[in-house]
Amino acid sequence: MKKQTAGRDALGSFAPKFAELNDDVLFGEVWAREDKLSLRDRSIITVTALMSKGILDSSLKYHILNAKNNGVSAEEMSEIITHLAFYAGWPNAWAVFRLAKEVYEE
């Protein structure tokens, strides 16, 4: 996994500790524990959590792209979103499908 700098890029001077925790702990330590859970599985879990909470912004799009890059196919992502629609809400599914369609058509 490549070194994460999104926190520092977006918030480095405004919230340096939060940026450090985002880049070095969340993405540097937690996501790096591939011996415990694969990047692919972590991506699926993260997309599920964000959709379930109704977080349908650019962070979700980033994690859908991350899932794609970690081996989740378009067909699998479609099935994941369809399954989640019954648990996380139909309107959320529509919103996530729009983002996923953009990501997988790129």
Side-chain angles (χ1 to χ4, degrees):
M1 181 168 213
K2 70 178 186 171
K3 174 111 173 99
Q4 178 66 264
T5 62
R8 286 180 178 87
D9 294 346
L11 298 171
S13 62
F14 185 76
K17 186 61 179 179
F18 183 85
E20 175 192 337
L21 292 169
N22 182 81
D23 296 350
D24 299 343
V25 178
L26 175 58
F27 286 97
E29 293 178 27
V30 175
W31 275 81
R33 294 169 43 112
E34 292 181 65
D35 60 320
K36 306 294 183 199
L37 199 59
S38 72
L39 291 175
R40 182 181 189 283
D41 290 347
R42 288 180 192 277
S43 291
I44 291 169
I45 292 165
T46 303
V47 169
T48 299
L50 293 173
M51 180 178 165
S52 296
K53 290 185 64 68
I55 299 172
L56 309 171
D57 62 6
S58 62
S59 63
L60 177 56
K61 186 173 181 180
Y62 166 83
H63 282 289
I64 293 170
L65 177 60
N66 211 21
K68 178 182 176 184
N69 292 338
N70 287 328
V72 178
S73 71
E75 183 179 19
E76 289 170 321
M77 183 59 69
S78 177
E79 187 62 26
I80 291 164
I81 298 166
T82 299
H83 183 78
L84 285 171
F86 291 94
Y87 296 93
W90 210 256
N92 284 358
W94 271 103
V96 178
F97 269 123
R98 284 188 208 99
L99 293 175
K101 187 176 176 192
E102 286 178 26
V103 167
Y104 281 92
E105 286 180 346
E106 292 174 353

